Amino acid sequence: MLMLVSAAIAQPDTTPTTAPTPSVASAVPAARQAQNVAVLTIEGPINAMTARSIERRLRAAEDAGADAVVIELDTPGGEVGAVLEICNTIKSSSIPNTVAWIRPDAYSGGAIIALACREIVASDPASMGDALPIQIGPGGLQALPEAERQKILSPLIAEVVNSARANGWDEYLVQGLVALNVELWYVENIQTGERLCIDEREYRALFEGEPPRSSPRLNSARPMAEPNTSEAPAEVPTATGEGGPAYTPPTPALAGIAEDVQQALEVPGQRPTLTEADRGEWTLLGYAADGAGPVVLKKSGASDDFEYFGFLSETINTDDELKAFFGATNLTRVDQSWSENLAALMTNPVIRGILIVVFIIALFLEMASPGIALPGAIAALALLGLLAPPALGGLANWWEIAAIAAGMLLIVLEVFVIPGFGLFGVTGVLFVFLGLLGTFVPDQGGRLFPSSPEAQRDLTYGLATLLLAFTTAGVGLWFVSKRIGAVPIFRRYVMTEDDGPSGTLIDAMRPAHGGLLVGQEGTATTALRPAGKAEFGDDLFDVVSDLGVIDAGEPVRIAALDGFRIVVVPASASDDQQHSDQASSPDGDTA
């Protein structure tokens, strides 16, 4: 992809095209003028993989010599952390000429990303807004508790205010896209023509009488609060903490996070605070938003909220129009790669749950019937599918992979070296569970436990996914154990009803002793290395050798029985050998 982008941008486009006329090119502002334009698409839900992809593609555009970057948006939004990461990538790019192309919808996180760009263009029709933080639970969209919403709002408000100050958007209106109770009126300066959204306090300072509250220009996406009908505005404090220019929230509802927002502001404010001294200098254009929900800007034909509120640079529907907008010679699309699309699919919770079920069942089959190899290969591929995409997307940290590896090692030791479902087995399963759970939570910057509300929700969803997957795997194992003997590849490894008292794979692994006695002799039917199978009478049992490897067909004698395993030794072994080995082994069991 890097090479394709470089070639496309560095060399003139030889495809026949209609070059911009001199009048069009000369009309392009100098700050916007560009020869090589890279279009980076964001389509569908935004997640950690989207953020990684945008970073990769933007660096490729920089390396290839692009002098303008277009972020084409058609998205319902997505994860807060990923959205903020994309905004930071755009703002820290060495290419300052950034344009958001809303084509046709930029909802939620998409709207926040659009505001991070220096200019906004849109197709017709188009929509932007509704960036209120929400959570998605089993029942669908859910409103956040107010305390949790405030924690998430602080960085979002700081982000959109910084964008507004840097790019000239209305500082109050952008906050209405992400917060409730932002009630606004739109005014224009009589002398300069400057337009501004104001709150109720400023309205009462500028005009006589009650502010109008009917037919707001911007509709709420999802009404979640009653429109403000108070006769007097509550006092809204101005944040004065260190760390950035003063911040005045447009509504008392944001007063609780004003100091936190203040600390995160980086761009000096340009917005004037209107007082009674400004009375007579401004005229009312209309009621902008009632604050009952997050606002949405719509563009459809003659109705254009984007242009009315100063967000739109131009209406653009095609790539040719986009080239003319920049006066560009070359325009190249840099889409998300197939591997990034695959990684995004593989990090879907449903897909991950299926992989966990496959991993558990395949691992169980491989350990129950060592040597088949096919179940082990399937388990390894499922584990790779569980770990590789999260690692690429910044979800899997080193400690999570280490925990899964350690857990697998402990389980293997429990099954093949020190059989019996004891300390090693339980600890191994716990390590695997915790490692997989950690891959559902984005990188916490070195912190072991999630601290943000979003990370805590990811942890909850991960826990629910794992519990459901483990339960499903348990049910699947029961069915598999009932039918495994019918599969030719497993038939020679699995006990059937004719082989003894146990009729299923799970029963065969259960440490049942039947009527066996210490000292009873039988024959090893598989090599004991040290675990394997031995026949006593007409019945087949899982056993473990206590004196090294015993070859298949060798006579064996039961040396010990406990609640978990049948310990055997070669039938020719003397009592002195047996007792000597048990005395030197901390795991030696006696009857």
XYZ file of all heavy atoms in Angstrom, residues 352 386-401 404 435 438-443:
189
model
N -14.931 -13.231 18.194
C -13.986 -13.650 19.235
C -14.606 -14.709 20.138
O -13.929 -15.646 20.573
C -13.544 -12.450 20.063
C -12.918 -11.344 19.236
C -12.062 -10.425 20.058
N -10.855 -11.102 20.470
C -10.202 -10.852 21.594
N -10.680 -9.943 22.430
N -9.105 -11.496 21.893
N -7.264 -15.182 17.966
C -7.664 -14.426 19.158
C -6.640 -13.377 19.549
O -7.001 -12.321 20.068
C -7.884 -15.384 20.331
C -9.181 -16.195 20.325
C -9.123 -17.293 21.374
C -10.377 -15.282 20.577
N -5.354 -13.658 19.309
C -4.301 -12.786 19.814
C -3.739 -11.821 18.771
O -3.436 -10.670 19.101
C -3.158 -13.634 20.380
C -3.481 -14.456 21.617
C -2.244 -15.206 22.090
C -4.016 -13.574 22.732
N -3.581 -12.278 17.523
C -2.928 -11.435 16.524
C -3.704 -10.149 16.211
O -3.123 -9.057 16.265
C -2.677 -12.231 15.246
N -5.014 -10.212 15.892
C -5.728 -8.965 15.595
C -5.753 -7.981 16.764
O -5.516 -6.786 16.556
C -7.142 -9.449 15.230
C -6.941 -10.845 14.756
C -5.855 -11.392 15.626
N -6.017 -8.409 18.013
C -5.948 -7.448 19.119
C -4.563 -6.837 19.285
O -4.433 -5.670 19.630
C -6.340 -8.291 20.345
C -7.146 -9.394 19.803
C -6.534 -9.709 18.467
N -3.519 -7.634 19.044
C -2.166 -7.096 19.158
C -1.937 -6.001 18.117
O -1.348 -4.956 18.408
C -1.138 -8.216 18.994
N -2.411 -6.236 16.885
C -2.278 -5.229 15.838
C -3.107 -3.997 16.141
O -2.730 -2.880 15.789
C -2.688 -5.814 14.488
C -1.785 -6.914 13.917
C -2.396 -7.498 12.657
C -0.390 -6.374 13.641
N -4.253 -4.179 16.801
C -5.144 -3.062 17.098
C -4.877 -2.391 18.422
O -5.621 -1.499 18.820
N -3.810 -2.803 19.122
C -3.470 -2.170 20.383
C -4.286 -2.662 21.554
O -4.349 -1.997 22.590
N -4.933 -3.833 21.424
C -5.746 -4.362 22.517
C -4.992 -5.385 23.354
O -5.302 -5.572 24.529
C -7.024 -5.008 21.950
C -8.003 -4.067 21.270
C -9.169 -4.858 20.687
C -8.525 -3.020 22.227
N -4.031 -6.083 22.755
C -3.310 -7.124 23.480
C -1.950 -6.594 23.924
O -1.150 -6.149 23.109
C -3.135 -8.367 22.600
N -1.684 -6.629 25.221
C -0.408 -6.209 25.772
C 0.461 -7.432 26.051
O 0.000 -8.576 26.040
C -0.628 -5.410 27.067
C -1.436 -4.152 26.810
O -1.070 -3.340 25.972
N -2.548 -3.992 27.523
N 1.731 -7.193 26.361
C 2.668 -8.297 26.552
C 2.243 -9.188 27.709
O 2.383 -10.410 27.643
C 4.072 -7.748 26.787
C 4.215 -7.017 28.098
C 4.065 -5.679 28.315
C 4.513 -7.611 29.371
N 4.236 -5.390 29.641
C 4.522 -6.553 30.325
C 4.766 -8.905 29.802
C 4.777 -6.771 31.671
C 5.013 -9.125 31.150
C 5.037 -8.067 32.068
N 1.701 -8.589 28.791
C 1.374 -9.405 29.961
C 0.204 -10.341 29.669
O 0.121 -11.450 30.225
C 1.060 -8.523 31.163
C -0.256 -7.794 31.113
C -0.485 -6.522 30.687
C -1.529 -8.305 31.515
N -1.820 -6.203 30.773
C -2.488 -7.287 31.292
C -1.972 -9.523 32.034
C -3.840 -7.451 31.575
C -3.323 -9.685 32.317
C -4.238 -8.655 32.088
N -0.707 -9.925 28.774
C -1.841 -10.776 28.439
C -1.385 -11.997 27.636
O -1.822 -13.123 27.898
C -2.864 -9.958 27.647
C -3.468 -8.814 28.459
C -4.002 -7.691 27.603
O -3.876 -7.772 26.370
O -4.517 -6.717 28.174
N -0.499 -11.768 26.666
C 0.034 -12.883 25.891
C 0.853 -13.804 26.785
O 0.790 -15.034 26.670
C 0.870 -12.350 24.719
C -0.019 -11.522 23.772
C 1.539 -13.481 23.959
C 0.717 -10.858 22.640
N -1.487 -15.983 28.890
C -2.075 -17.082 28.119
C -1.035 -18.177 27.882
O -1.324 -19.375 28.034
C -2.627 -16.557 26.785
C -3.806 -15.611 27.044
C -3.069 -17.705 25.884
C -4.310 -14.903 25.811
N -5.861 -13.714 30.711
C -5.174 -13.205 29.532
C -6.129 -12.866 28.402
O -6.021 -11.811 27.779
N -8.083 -9.717 29.204
C -7.324 -8.485 29.001
C -7.293 -8.019 27.568
O -7.150 -6.824 27.298
N -7.433 -8.943 26.599
C -7.389 -8.553 25.194
C -8.645 -7.813 24.746
O -8.689 -7.311 23.624
C -7.186 -9.782 24.286
O -8.296 -10.678 24.425
C -5.912 -10.514 24.644
N -9.656 -7.760 25.579
C -10.863 -7.004 25.236
C -10.734 -5.528 25.614
O -11.591 -4.727 25.263
C -12.082 -7.588 25.957
C -12.603 -8.856 25.340
C -12.059 -10.087 25.684
C -13.626 -8.831 24.409
C -12.524 -11.265 25.123
C -14.097 -10.005 23.838
C -13.544 -11.219 24.195
N -9.687 -5.172 26.352
C -9.538 -3.809 26.855
C -8.366 -3.140 26.144
O -7.280 -3.720 26.073
C -9.299 -3.808 28.378
C -9.217 -2.382 28.902
C -10.419 -4.565 29.082
N -8.539 -1.921 25.601
C -7.432 -1.230 24.938
C -6.279 -0.984 25.888
O -6.418 -1.052 27.111
C -8.073 0.095 24.481
C -9.532 -0.185 24.423
C -9.803 -1.177 25.508
N -5.118 -0.679 25.299
C -3.914 -0.394 26.074
C -4.179 0.727 27.072
O -4.684 1.794 26.716
C -2.788 0.010 25.116
C -1.457 0.183 25.818
O -1.375 -0.099 27.030
O -0.497 0.604 25.152
